[in-house]
Amino acid sequence: MNRQKKNLNLHTALFYTILLVFGIIHIMIPILNHYFFRTHTFDYAAYNFSFFDYSHFRISPSPIYWSNSMSFFQDHFSLTLFYFIPIYWLFNWLTGTYTLILIQAFFILFGAWGTYKYVKLKTVSENLALFAMLFYFLLYGRYSAYNTDVNLMIILSGVVPAWLYYFEKKMWLTFSFWTLFLVLGRESIPLWLIFISLFLVIDNWQDKEKRRWAWYTMGFSLISFVLIMEVFIPMTENPARPFSLFNFNALGKTPLEVLLFMFNYPEQVFYMLFENHLPKGGSPHFKLEMYYVYLVSGGFLLFRHPKYFIPFIPIVLQKVLNDSDTRWGIYSYYTIEFATLLPLFVFVVIKDLKGRYVQKFLPWIVCTLAILVTVNKMKSSNTQLSWDHSTKFNFYRQGMYSSELDIDQMYETLKMIPDTAAVSSTGNFCPHLANREYCYYFPRVEEAEYIILQLDVPQFMVTEAQLLAELNKYIFNPKWTVVKHEGSIILLKKQEQKKDQIDDWLIDCETFSADSSLFTVPSSQIFAEGGRHRSNEMAFSGEYSIKLSPSTYNYGPYLKVDSIFPGDYIHASIRRKGSHGVLILSDEVNGLYVSAKKSFEEKGWELHTIDLTIKDSLVNNRLVIYGYNPENIDDVYFDDLHIQIYHKGKNQD
C-alpha cells in the first residue's frame, strides 16, 4: 500500500513537473518573440486586429490585409476568436497584444493534459501516459509552429486529445460541446473529424454506444463540411477576392472535383504524394522531409496497426497536394496535427506490443528519437526550406533571449502614438499596434495619422526599394512631419511641416549658367558642376544629359549642398546609361562615402538611388552629391539628378 502511494506521489510529481517545465517554455517562446519584435503582421497582427474587432461586436474589413474590403472571417470561416470575447474584456486591459499568445498556450497545455488522460485510459498505465505527454512536447511540429506566432490550427489541435478522451469516457455532453467548438473553429476541421470518426468506428466496433456516437459525429462533420464549403463560405466571401485557401488546382477547383479526381486517377494521386506536381517550382524533398521527420519520431510504430493512419489521411493529402510547396514540409504550423495525433497513438501501440523489455525501453527510445530529430531540425541549415526561421523557437540558443534591434527605442517610439490613433507600420510594429480600429500594414496608409517604420528589417512582400520609395512620398510631403528618427526607426505624424523644412531639386541637364560651365535648377540658387560636358547624343528626359568620357571628365553633375545637420534625411537618385558609373554621396573629406543602389530600368536607363539619414556632423555641414565614372573605360551618360532633403536636424525644436 505504501509502495503504491509512493508511486502515485512520484507520478503526480512527474506529471506536474513536465507540465510546468514545458508550460514555461511554451509561454516563454511566443512572449519573447513578441517582446523582441519577432512576431509578424501575417498572421499575428491580423489575428490581433480581428480579436479586437470581434470583441467590439464588429466584423470589419481588416486594414492589415492588402485588400481594403476583406475581413478575417472571409479569410477563414471560423468562430474561434468569437469564443474568446469574454477573455478579451476580462484580461486584455492587462495582457494587451499578448492575450492571444496566452490563450494559445492554454490550449497547448490542454492538449498535453488530454494526451495524458487519453493514453492513461487506453493503456491503464501511468508510465506510458507520462511518456506520451513528454513526447507531445518533444515533437518538432510543436516548436516550428511558432514561425506563425498564433494560429487557429494550433489552438484547435490542442482540443483534439481531450475531445478523444471525452469520447472514450462516454462523456457525451462534454464531447458534443467540443465537437461543435472544433467544427466551427476552422473550415478544414470538419474534414479531419470525418476521418477521425471513421477511425473511432473501427477502433470501437465492439462497443455499440461508442460506435453509434462515432457515426453521429461523422455524419455531423460531413454535413458541416458541405454546408461550410458550399453555402457559408460563398455566402460570406468577398466577390472581389474569393476564398483562396482551397488550393488544389492539380486535382480540381472544388472539393467535389478533387474527390472525383482521386477516385478516377488513384495512381497519379499516389505519385503526387512523393513527387513535385507543380508546373513551376516546388521540391519533392519537402514532402520526403516531412515523412522522414514524423516516421523516425515514432510514426513507424503505427504500421503495427494501420487503422491509426486513418486520421492522418486528410492532413497528409491537404499538405502534399497543395499548390503551395511551403505547406508540403515541416515549416511553420503545417504539421501541428502530426504533433497532436502521434503521442496519442504511438503509446497505445506500445502497450499492445509483447515483451516486458519492449514496453520498458521503447518509450525511452521513441522520446530519444523525437529529441534527436527536433534538435537536428531546429538548426535551419538542416531543413529543406532554407528560410525556416528557427530563431523564433530554438529556445536553448542565446539568440532567443536577445535582439539586435534597439528594443528600448522601439518601445519608446511606440509610446508616442496615442492608443486610439490610426497608424500604418512595418511588419514588426504592426502586431503591437493592432488593437485599434485602424492599423495598416505599410505602404497601405489611407486614414492613418501616424506612420512608424523599421527600415533595417526585411518586410513581407515589400522590397527595400519599394519601402524607401513609399517612405519618401510621406517624408517629402508637406502634410507629414517626421516626429522622430533614431537609427533605423522613423515616426511620422500627419501635420503641416515647418517652413523651409524640405528642399527638392531636379538637375535635368537642360538649364545651365551663362558660360555653360554649371547646370542650374530654375528659380533657385542651386548650381552643379559639369555643364561643359552635357551631350545631346542621348537623354532620359528633355534633350540633354551629361557625358563622362575616360579621356575628358569623370565627375558630374557635381553638387555641393550646405546646411546639412545630423538627423537630416537625404534621398538622391540619378538616371544612368552605360556599363559603369555610380551615384556618390560624400562629405568633402570622404569621412562619409555612400554609393547608390540600382533599383530598376526604364527606357534603357537605370535608376540609381541613395536614401540616407545623416548621423554625425559633417565638415562645414556640407554634403557632396555627384555622378562618377570610376572605370575610365567606356562612356557613361547621367541624367535627372534628383535630390530631396528633409531638414530634421536644422529645424528640430
Side-chain angles (χ1 to χ4, degrees):
M1 186 70 178
N2 289 334
R3 184 176 181 182
Q4 288 180 342
K5 186 176 180 180
K6 185 177 179 180
N7 286 338
L8 179 61
N9 290 337
L10 177 61
H11 287 138
T12 302
L14 287 173
F15 171 84
Y16 285 110
T17 299
I18 293 171
L19 206 60
L20 178 63
V21 170
F22 285 98
I24 291 172
I25 290 172
H26 283 276
I27 292 173
M28 176 188 69
I29 289 174
I31 284 179
L32 288 175
N33 283 333
H34 195 46
Y35 177 78
F36 287 121
F37 292 89
R38 290 192 288 257
T39 48
H40 297 154
T41 294
F42 305 103
D43 291 327
Y44 195 42
Y47 272 75
N48 267 337
F49 171 78
S50 299
F51 188 36
F52 166 85
D53 195 50
Y54 295 168
S55 297
H56 287 78
F57 309 105
R58 300 187 296 256
I59 305 179
S60 308
S62 175
I64 305 296
Y65 296 137
W66 297 111
S67 171
N68 60 5
S69 58
M70 190 183 79
S71 69
F72 183 83
F73 193 74
Q74 291 168 321
D75 190 32
H76 279 296
F77 184 85
S78 169
L79 299 184
T80 302
L81 297 184
F82 289 95
Y83 304 151
F84 306 141
I85 289 175
I87 298 175
Y88 176 92
W89 289 109
L90 285 172
F91 298 108
N92 203 70
W93 64 273
L94 176 65
T95 53
T97 55
Y98 291 82
T99 306
L100 283 177
I101 285 173
L102 297 173
I103 291 173
Q104 178 176 269
F106 166 80
F107 278 93
I108 291 171
L109 297 181
F110 184 48
W113 175 86
T115 299
Y116 173 85
K117 299 294 284 187
Y118 177 85
V119 173
K120 181 180 177 181
L121 181 66
K122 296 288 286 185
T123 65
V124 197
S125 170
E126 286 271 7
N127 288 337
L128 289 178
L130 287 171
F131 271 111
M133 185 169 71
L134 177 63
F135 185 66
Y136 172 92
F137 286 119
L138 297 178
L139 290 166
Y140 179 75
R142 186 62 53 200
Y143 299 92
S144 65
Y146 289 116
N147 265 323
T148 195
D149 305 315
V150 167
N151 191 271
L152 294 172
M153 281 309 302
I154 303 173
I155 294 170
L156 296 168
S157 293
V159 173
V160 171
W163 177 72
L164 289 172
Y165 167 71
Y166 295 132
F167 177 89
E168 295 295 336
K169 288 285 288 185
K170 300 184 180 180
M171 299 170 63
W172 302 126
L173 184 61
T174 307
F175 173 77
S176 298
F177 169 82
W178 288 112
T179 300
L180 190 63
F181 184 97
L182 288 167
V183 164
L184 298 178
R186 194 177 188 270
E187 66 279 347
S188 61
I189 290 289
L191 180 62
W192 190 20
L193 297 192
I194 292 170
F195 284 83
I196 296 178
S197 300
L198 176 59
F199 159 75
L200 292 174
V201 168
I202 297 170
D203 195 47
N204 295 280
W205 191 257
Q206 302 302 319
D207 189 319
K208 185 177 180 180
E209 184 181 4
K210 287 184 180 179
R211 189 173 74 241
R212 185 173 68 251
W213 273 90
W215 283 120
Y216 291 158
T217 307
M218 184 189 299
F220 177 67
S221 300
L222 178 60
I223 293 170
S224 299
F225 181 70
V226 173
L227 287 175
I228 289 170
M229 298 302 297
E230 299 299 327
V231 178
F232 296 133
I233 287 179
M235 184 188 303
T236 59
E237 71 181 350
N238 179 0
R241 194 181 186 280
F243 181 73
S244 60
L245 295 180
F246 191 84
N247 304 314
F248 305 95
N249 288 317
L251 291 82
K253 301 291 186 182
T254 67
L256 181 59
E257 288 181 9
V258 170
L259 186 63
L260 291 174
F261 185 95
M262 289 180 173
F263 277 112
N264 292 329
Y265 306 100
E267 291 183 3
Q268 190 170 341
V269 173
F270 181 79
Y271 165 82
M272 292 165 68
L273 294 178
F274 304 96
E275 295 294 336
N276 175 29
H277 62 274
L278 300 179
K280 292 183 179 179
S283 169
H285 297 296
F286 295 165
K287 300 180 181 182
L288 299 177
E289 183 179 40
M290 184 266 292
Y291 295 132
Y292 156 75
V293 164
Y294 290 100
L295 286 175
V296 172
S297 297
F300 64 91
L301 289 171
L302 302 189
F303 287 102
R304 170 79 175 181
H305 295 296
K307 66 181 178 181
Y308 290 111
F309 284 113
I310 294 173
F312 290 91
I313 291 173
I315 55 180
V316 170
L317 294 179
Q318 286 178 84
K319 280 177 56 59
V320 301
L321 302 181
N322 199 276
D323 294 341
S324 173
D325 60 350
T326 58
R327 296 175 185 266
W328 299 352
I330 59 174
Y331 174 69
S332 192
Y333 71 94
Y334 298 125
T335 60
I336 193 63
E337 302 97 323
F338 291 77
T340 300
L341 292 178
L342 272 184
L344 301 173
F345 298 153
V346 164
F347 288 87
V348 175
V349 170
I350 290 176
K351 177 64 177 178
D352 292 339
L353 296 174
K354 295 180 180 180
R356 182 164 61 93
Y357 289 106
V358 171
Q359 292 195 15
K360 184 176 181 180
F361 292 109
L362 196 52
W364 289 101
I365 293 172
V366 168
C367 287
T368 301
L369 288 172
I371 291 172
L372 292 174
V373 170
T374 297
V375 170
N376 177 262
K377 293 300 177 181
M378 276 189 171
K379 189 175 181 181
S380 296
S381 58
N382 292 334
T383 61
Q384 291 295 325
L385 199 60
S386 59
W387 44 272
D388 192 353
H389 303 298
S390 62
T391 52
K392 290 190 68 173
F393 54 84
N394 195 337
F395 64 90
Y396 57 85
R397 290 187 180 272
Q398 186 177 355
M400 185 83 212
Y401 306 92
S402 61
S403 175
E404 296 179 355
L405 303 175
D406 190 342
I407 300 300
D408 292 339
Q409 280 291 345
M410 295 174 78
Y411 280 111
E412 185 179 315
T413 308
L414 283 178
K415 290 177 182 177
M416 299 173 69
I417 303 173
D419 291 341
T420 57
V423 62
S424 177
S425 71
T426 43
N428 51 341
F429 281 119
C430 218
H432 291 261
L433 293 163
N435 279 357
R436 64 187 67 222
E437 192 170 352
Y438 297 104
C439 177
Y440 302 99
Y441 179 48
F442 191 81
R444 188 179 172 190
V445 175
E446 299 187 13
E447 294 96 344
E449 304 163 72
Y450 288 83
I451 297 173
I452 180 171
L453 308 177
Q454 180 89 31
L455 301 180
D456 60 350
V457 175
Q459 303 300 315
F460 179 68
M461 295 182 69
V462 181
T463 66
E464 181 183 5
Q466 290 172 328
L467 178 69
L468 292 172
E470 292 295 325
L471 169 62
N472 290 335
K473 292 179 182 178
Y474 297 96
I475 283 188
F476 300 110
N477 183 331
K479 294 183 178 180
W480 287 83
T481 296
V482 176
V483 177
K484 182 176 182 179
H485 193 170
E486 293 288 342
S488 62
I489 303 166
I490 186 165
L491 175 66
L492 296 93
K493 183 179 180 181
K494 196 170 188 179
Q495 65 181 29
E496 293 294 331
Q497 294 177 0
K498 300 174 183 178
K499 186 180 179 181
D500 300 329
Q501 201 157 5
I502 293 177
D503 287 323
D504 193 334
W505 306 312
L506 175 65
I507 299 171
D508 59 7
C509 300
E510 302 299 315
T511 57
F512 47 92
S513 60
D515 63 357
S516 301
S517 64
L518 301 172
F519 293 113
T520 63
V521 176
S523 303
S524 76
Q525 298 299 313
I526 300 301
F527 302 92
E529 298 175 16
R532 297 188 188 281
H533 301 281
R534 72 174 185 154
S535 167
N536 62 1
E537 295 176 15
M538 57 183 70
F540 177 77
S541 65
E543 298 181 17
Y544 297 98
S545 64
I546 184 172
K547 178 180 179 181
L548 304 183
S549 300
S551 59
T552 56
Y553 192 73
N554 64 345
Y555 293 92
Y558 189 94
L559 175 67
K560 297 178 181 180
V561 183
D562 293 324
S563 300
I564 301 296
F565 299 92
D568 289 356
Y569 179 83
I570 317 294
H571 169 75
S573 66
I574 199 167
R575 293 287 178 173
R576 186 198 81 176
K577 193 175 185 67
S579 56
H580 304 287
V582 293
L583 175 63
I584 298 296
L585 187 154
S586 72
D587 63 9
E588 291 187 301
V589 294
N590 290 329
L592 173 71
Y593 188 89
V594 181
S595 60
K597 296 180 180 179
K598 172 187 172 183
S599 53
F600 63 90
E601 187 172 314
E602 183 181 350
K603 298 190 297 185
W605 289 74
E606 295 174 351
L607 178 66
H608 289 237
T609 61
I610 294 175
D611 291 275
L612 178 71
T613 300
I614 303 301
K615 297 181 180 180
D616 302 311
S617 296
L618 305 179
V619 176
N620 299 322
N621 297 321
R622 176 175 290 172
L623 195 66
V624 181
I625 305 169
Y626 55 94
Y628 177 44
N629 182 8
E631 300 295 331
N632 278 328
I633 298 175
D634 301 316
D635 293 342
V636 175
Y637 297 85
F638 286 112
D639 200 359
D640 287 2
L641 174 60
H642 188 198
I643 299 155
Q644 293 174 297
I645 305 173
Y646 182 93
H647 292 284
K648 173 64 177 175
K650 182 174 64 175
N651 293 279
Q652 195 168 17
D653 290 331

PDB file of all heavy atoms in Angstrom, residues 183 190-191 193-194 197 215-229 259:
ATOM      1  N   VAL A 183     -15.810  21.965 -34.985  1.00  0.00           N
ATOM      2  CA  VAL A 183     -16.424  22.062 -36.313  1.00  0.00           C
ATOM      3  C   VAL A 183     -16.542  23.512 -36.765  1.00  0.00           C
ATOM      4  O   VAL A 183     -16.328  23.836 -37.945  1.00  0.00           O
ATOM      5  CB  VAL A 183     -17.805  21.374 -36.309  1.00  0.00           C
ATOM      6  CG1 VAL A 183     -18.624  21.782 -37.533  1.00  0.00           C
ATOM      7  CG2 VAL A 183     -17.639  19.856 -36.284  1.00  0.00           C
ATOM      8  N   PRO A 190     -13.857  20.091 -40.018  1.00  0.00           N
ATOM      9  CA  PRO A 190     -14.843  19.017 -40.215  1.00  0.00           C
ATOM     10  C   PRO A 190     -14.333  17.859 -41.064  1.00  0.00           C
ATOM     11  O   PRO A 190     -14.668  16.695 -40.795  1.00  0.00           O
ATOM     12  CB  PRO A 190     -16.010  19.741 -40.894  1.00  0.00           C
ATOM     13  CG  PRO A 190     -15.902  21.147 -40.421  1.00  0.00           C
ATOM     14  CD  PRO A 190     -14.424  21.415 -40.336  1.00  0.00           C
ATOM     15  N   LEU A 191     -13.521  18.159 -42.090  1.00  0.00           N
ATOM     16  CA  LEU A 191     -12.970  17.082 -42.914  1.00  0.00           C
ATOM     17  C   LEU A 191     -12.068  16.180 -42.092  1.00  0.00           C
ATOM     18  O   LEU A 191     -12.099  14.948 -42.220  1.00  0.00           O
ATOM     19  CB  LEU A 191     -12.190  17.681 -44.092  1.00  0.00           C
ATOM     20  CG  LEU A 191     -11.557  16.682 -45.052  1.00  0.00           C
ATOM     21  CD1 LEU A 191     -12.621  15.822 -45.723  1.00  0.00           C
ATOM     22  CD2 LEU A 191     -10.716  17.412 -46.102  1.00  0.00           C
ATOM     23  N   LEU A 193     -12.300  15.680 -38.873  1.00  0.00           N
ATOM     24  CA  LEU A 193     -13.138  14.931 -37.929  1.00  0.00           C
ATOM     25  C   LEU A 193     -13.854  13.762 -38.600  1.00  0.00           C
ATOM     26  O   LEU A 193     -14.146  12.752 -37.947  1.00  0.00           O
ATOM     27  CB  LEU A 193     -14.165  15.861 -37.283  1.00  0.00           C
ATOM     28  CG  LEU A 193     -13.636  17.007 -36.421  1.00  0.00           C
ATOM     29  CD1 LEU A 193     -14.772  17.642 -35.621  1.00  0.00           C
ATOM     30  CD2 LEU A 193     -12.541  16.531 -35.473  1.00  0.00           C
ATOM     31  N   ILE A 194     -14.142  13.877 -39.885  1.00  0.00           N
ATOM     32  CA  ILE A 194     -14.752  12.751 -40.609  1.00  0.00           C
ATOM     33  C   ILE A 194     -13.844  11.532 -40.527  1.00  0.00           C
ATOM     34  O   ILE A 194     -14.291  10.415 -40.232  1.00  0.00           O
ATOM     35  CB  ILE A 194     -15.016  13.137 -42.080  1.00  0.00           C
ATOM     36  CG1 ILE A 194     -16.126  14.196 -42.162  1.00  0.00           C
ATOM     37  CG2 ILE A 194     -15.389  11.907 -42.903  1.00  0.00           C
ATOM     38  CD1 ILE A 194     -16.286  14.804 -43.543  1.00  0.00           C
ATOM     39  N   SER A 197     -13.468  10.213 -36.974  1.00  0.00           N
ATOM     40  CA  SER A 197     -14.681   9.465 -36.627  1.00  0.00           C
ATOM     41  C   SER A 197     -14.672   8.079 -37.250  1.00  0.00           C
ATOM     42  O   SER A 197     -15.099   7.096 -36.625  1.00  0.00           O
ATOM     43  CB  SER A 197     -15.917  10.235 -37.083  1.00  0.00           C
ATOM     44  OG  SER A 197     -15.989  11.496 -36.457  1.00  0.00           O
ATOM     45  N   TRP A 215     -20.510   7.344 -35.515  1.00  0.00           N
ATOM     46  CA  TRP A 215     -21.268   7.548 -36.755  1.00  0.00           C
ATOM     47  C   TRP A 215     -21.961   8.913 -36.739  1.00  0.00           C
ATOM     48  O   TRP A 215     -21.977   9.630 -37.741  1.00  0.00           O
ATOM     49  CB  TRP A 215     -22.309   6.443 -36.954  1.00  0.00           C
ATOM     50  CG  TRP A 215     -21.762   5.136 -37.426  1.00  0.00           C
ATOM     51  CD1 TRP A 215     -21.821   3.917 -36.810  1.00  0.00           C
ATOM     52  CD2 TRP A 215     -21.086   4.885 -38.671  1.00  0.00           C
ATOM     53  NE1 TRP A 215     -21.227   2.927 -37.548  1.00  0.00           N
ATOM     54  CE2 TRP A 215     -20.765   3.493 -38.704  1.00  0.00           C
ATOM     55  CE3 TRP A 215     -20.707   5.679 -39.742  1.00  0.00           C
ATOM     56  CZ2 TRP A 215     -20.097   2.906 -39.769  1.00  0.00           C
ATOM     57  CZ3 TRP A 215     -20.050   5.088 -40.816  1.00  0.00           C
ATOM     58  CH2 TRP A 215     -19.743   3.725 -40.813  1.00  0.00           C
ATOM     59  N   TYR A 216     -22.554   9.255 -35.609  1.00  0.00           N
ATOM     60  CA  TYR A 216     -23.208  10.559 -35.497  1.00  0.00           C
ATOM     61  C   TYR A 216     -22.215  11.691 -35.773  1.00  0.00           C
ATOM     62  O   TYR A 216     -22.519  12.646 -36.496  1.00  0.00           O
ATOM     63  CB  TYR A 216     -23.781  10.764 -34.078  1.00  0.00           C
ATOM     64  CG  TYR A 216     -24.951   9.893 -33.727  1.00  0.00           C
ATOM     65  CD1 TYR A 216     -25.273   9.638 -32.387  1.00  0.00           C
ATOM     66  CD2 TYR A 216     -25.751   9.297 -34.705  1.00  0.00           C
ATOM     67  CE1 TYR A 216     -26.349   8.838 -32.028  1.00  0.00           C
ATOM     68  CE2 TYR A 216     -26.825   8.482 -34.364  1.00  0.00           C
ATOM     69  CZ  TYR A 216     -27.118   8.260 -33.024  1.00  0.00           C
ATOM     70  OH  TYR A 216     -28.175   7.461 -32.675  1.00  0.00           O
ATOM     71  N   THR A 217     -21.049  11.580 -35.171  1.00  0.00           N
ATOM     72  CA  THR A 217     -20.028  12.622 -35.336  1.00  0.00           C
ATOM     73  C   THR A 217     -19.575  12.715 -36.781  1.00  0.00           C
ATOM     74  O   THR A 217     -19.370  13.816 -37.317  1.00  0.00           O
ATOM     75  CB  THR A 217     -18.824  12.351 -34.424  1.00  0.00           C
ATOM     76  OG1 THR A 217     -19.270  12.184 -33.082  1.00  0.00           O
ATOM     77  CG2 THR A 217     -17.821  13.485 -34.481  1.00  0.00           C
ATOM     78  N   MET A 218     -19.407  11.568 -37.422  1.00  0.00           N
ATOM     79  CA  MET A 218     -19.001  11.565 -38.823  1.00  0.00           C
ATOM     80  C   MET A 218     -20.056  12.237 -39.693  1.00  0.00           C
ATOM     81  O   MET A 218     -19.736  13.072 -40.558  1.00  0.00           O
ATOM     82  CB  MET A 218     -18.773  10.130 -39.316  1.00  0.00           C
ATOM     83  CG  MET A 218     -18.248  10.063 -40.744  1.00  0.00           C
ATOM     84  SD  MET A 218     -18.221   8.377 -41.398  1.00  0.00           S
ATOM     85  CE  MET A 218     -17.109   7.580 -40.255  1.00  0.00           C
ATOM     86  N   GLY A 219     -21.326  11.879 -39.467  1.00  0.00           N
ATOM     87  CA  GLY A 219     -22.401  12.484 -40.255  1.00  0.00           C
ATOM     88  C   GLY A 219     -22.503  13.979 -40.039  1.00  0.00           C
ATOM     89  O   GLY A 219     -22.642  14.759 -41.000  1.00  0.00           O
ATOM     90  N   PHE A 220     -22.399  14.409 -38.777  1.00  0.00           N
ATOM     91  CA  PHE A 220     -22.465  15.831 -38.461  1.00  0.00           C
ATOM     92  C   PHE A 220     -21.294  16.584 -39.096  1.00  0.00           C
ATOM     93  O   PHE A 220     -21.464  17.682 -39.648  1.00  0.00           O
ATOM     94  CB  PHE A 220     -22.465  16.021 -36.941  1.00  0.00           C
ATOM     95  CG  PHE A 220     -22.449  17.447 -36.502  1.00  0.00           C
ATOM     96  CD1 PHE A 220     -23.538  18.276 -36.739  1.00  0.00           C
ATOM     97  CD2 PHE A 220     -21.334  17.985 -35.857  1.00  0.00           C
ATOM     98  CE1 PHE A 220     -23.522  19.611 -36.342  1.00  0.00           C
ATOM     99  CE2 PHE A 220     -21.310  19.309 -35.455  1.00  0.00           C
ATOM    100  CZ  PHE A 220     -22.410  20.123 -35.706  1.00  0.00           C
ATOM    101  N   SER A 221     -20.114  15.987 -39.046  1.00  0.00           N
ATOM    102  CA  SER A 221     -18.921  16.622 -39.626  1.00  0.00           C
ATOM    103  C   SER A 221     -19.044  16.717 -41.141  1.00  0.00           C
ATOM    104  O   SER A 221     -18.649  17.737 -41.741  1.00  0.00           O
ATOM    105  CB  SER A 221     -17.665  15.843 -39.233  1.00  0.00           C
ATOM    106  OG  SER A 221     -17.509  15.799 -37.839  1.00  0.00           O
ATOM    107  N   LEU A 222     -19.574  15.668 -41.762  1.00  0.00           N
ATOM    108  CA  LEU A 222     -19.740  15.670 -43.219  1.00  0.00           C
ATOM    109  C   LEU A 222     -20.727  16.750 -43.650  1.00  0.00           C
ATOM    110  O   LEU A 222     -20.448  17.526 -44.579  1.00  0.00           O
ATOM    111  CB  LEU A 222     -20.220  14.300 -43.690  1.00  0.00           C
ATOM    112  CG  LEU A 222     -20.496  14.164 -45.195  1.00  0.00           C
ATOM    113  CD1 LEU A 222     -19.242  14.447 -46.005  1.00  0.00           C
ATOM    114  CD2 LEU A 222     -21.040  12.774 -45.513  1.00  0.00           C
ATOM    115  N   ILE A 223     -21.870  16.806 -42.970  1.00  0.00           N
ATOM    116  CA  ILE A 223     -22.871  17.828 -43.303  1.00  0.00           C
ATOM    117  C   ILE A 223     -22.292  19.224 -43.076  1.00  0.00           C
ATOM    118  O   ILE A 223     -22.477  20.129 -43.899  1.00  0.00           O
ATOM    119  CB  ILE A 223     -24.142  17.622 -42.456  1.00  0.00           C
ATOM    120  CG1 ILE A 223     -24.837  16.322 -42.865  1.00  0.00           C
ATOM    121  CG2 ILE A 223     -25.098  18.794 -42.611  1.00  0.00           C
ATOM    122  CD1 ILE A 223     -25.957  15.904 -41.940  1.00  0.00           C
ATOM    123  N   SER A 224     -21.569  19.387 -41.976  1.00  0.00           N
ATOM    124  CA  SER A 224     -20.975  20.690 -41.670  1.00  0.00           C
ATOM    125  C   SER A 224     -19.967  21.096 -42.734  1.00  0.00           C
ATOM    126  O   SER A 224     -19.926  22.260 -43.162  1.00  0.00           O
ATOM    127  CB  SER A 224     -20.294  20.653 -40.294  1.00  0.00           C
ATOM    128  OG  SER A 224     -21.220  20.358 -39.280  1.00  0.00           O
ATOM    129  N   PHE A 225     -19.145  20.142 -43.175  1.00  0.00           N
ATOM    130  CA  PHE A 225     -18.135  20.445 -44.194  1.00  0.00           C
ATOM    131  C   PHE A 225     -18.793  20.898 -45.488  1.00  0.00           C
ATOM    132  O   PHE A 225     -18.374  21.899 -46.095  1.00  0.00           O
ATOM    133  CB  PHE A 225     -17.269  19.210 -44.445  1.00  0.00           C
ATOM    134  CG  PHE A 225     -16.185  19.426 -45.464  1.00  0.00           C
ATOM    135  CD1 PHE A 225     -15.096  20.232 -45.186  1.00  0.00           C
ATOM    136  CD2 PHE A 225     -16.261  18.827 -46.721  1.00  0.00           C
ATOM    137  CE1 PHE A 225     -14.096  20.448 -46.131  1.00  0.00           C
ATOM    138  CE2 PHE A 225     -15.270  19.033 -47.669  1.00  0.00           C
ATOM    139  CZ  PHE A 225     -14.181  19.842 -47.372  1.00  0.00           C
ATOM    140  N   VAL A 226     -19.832  20.199 -45.912  1.00  0.00           N
ATOM    141  CA  VAL A 226     -20.530  20.556 -47.152  1.00  0.00           C
ATOM    142  C   VAL A 226     -21.171  21.933 -47.017  1.00  0.00           C
ATOM    143  O   VAL A 226     -21.061  22.779 -47.917  1.00  0.00           O
ATOM    144  CB  VAL A 226     -21.581  19.489 -47.509  1.00  0.00           C
ATOM    145  CG1 VAL A 226     -22.422  19.956 -48.698  1.00  0.00           C
ATOM    146  CG2 VAL A 226     -20.910  18.156 -47.830  1.00  0.00           C
ATOM    147  N   LEU A 227     -21.844  22.178 -45.893  1.00  0.00           N
ATOM    148  CA  LEU A 227     -22.504  23.467 -45.691  1.00  0.00           C
ATOM    149  C   LEU A 227     -21.494  24.611 -45.650  1.00  0.00           C
ATOM    150  O   LEU A 227     -21.719  25.677 -46.235  1.00  0.00           O
ATOM    151  CB  LEU A 227     -23.317  23.446 -44.395  1.00  0.00           C
ATOM    152  CG  LEU A 227     -24.606  22.626 -44.408  1.00  0.00           C
ATOM    153  CD1 LEU A 227     -25.233  22.592 -43.020  1.00  0.00           C
ATOM    154  CD2 LEU A 227     -25.603  23.190 -45.423  1.00  0.00           C
ATOM    155  N   ILE A 228     -20.384  24.401 -44.961  1.00  0.00           N
ATOM    156  CA  ILE A 228     -19.368  25.448 -44.866  1.00  0.00           C
ATOM    157  C   ILE A 228     -18.774  25.775 -46.232  1.00  0.00           C
ATOM    158  O   ILE A 228     -18.668  26.943 -46.622  1.00  0.00           O
ATOM    159  CB  ILE A 228     -18.263  25.041 -43.869  1.00  0.00           C
ATOM    160  CG1 ILE A 228     -18.799  25.078 -42.433  1.00  0.00           C
ATOM    161  CG2 ILE A 228     -17.051  25.962 -43.995  1.00  0.00           C
ATOM    162  CD1 ILE A 228     -17.861  24.479 -41.415  1.00  0.00           C
ATOM    163  N   MET A 229     -18.384  24.734 -46.977  1.00  0.00           N
ATOM    164  CA  MET A 229     -17.702  24.945 -48.251  1.00  0.00           C
ATOM    165  C   MET A 229     -18.643  25.399 -49.358  1.00  0.00           C
ATOM    166  O   MET A 229     -18.254  26.196 -50.217  1.00  0.00           O
ATOM    167  CB  MET A 229     -16.985  23.662 -48.681  1.00  0.00           C
ATOM    168  CG  MET A 229     -15.895  23.189 -47.727  1.00  0.00           C
ATOM    169  SD  MET A 229     -14.588  24.421 -47.438  1.00  0.00           S
ATOM    170  CE  MET A 229     -13.893  24.589 -49.076  1.00  0.00           C
ATOM    171  N   LEU A 259     -12.357  15.187 -55.164  1.00  0.00           N
ATOM    172  CA  LEU A 259     -12.750  13.826 -54.785  1.00  0.00           C
ATOM    173  C   LEU A 259     -12.879  12.933 -56.017  1.00  0.00           C
ATOM    174  O   LEU A 259     -12.405  11.784 -56.025  1.00  0.00           O
ATOM    175  CB  LEU A 259     -14.067  13.876 -54.013  1.00  0.00           C
ATOM    176  CG  LEU A 259     -14.563  12.556 -53.410  1.00  0.00           C
ATOM    177  CD1 LEU A 259     -13.570  12.043 -52.369  1.00  0.00           C
ATOM    178  CD2 LEU A 259     -15.941  12.737 -52.782  1.00  0.00           C
TER     179      LEU A 259
END
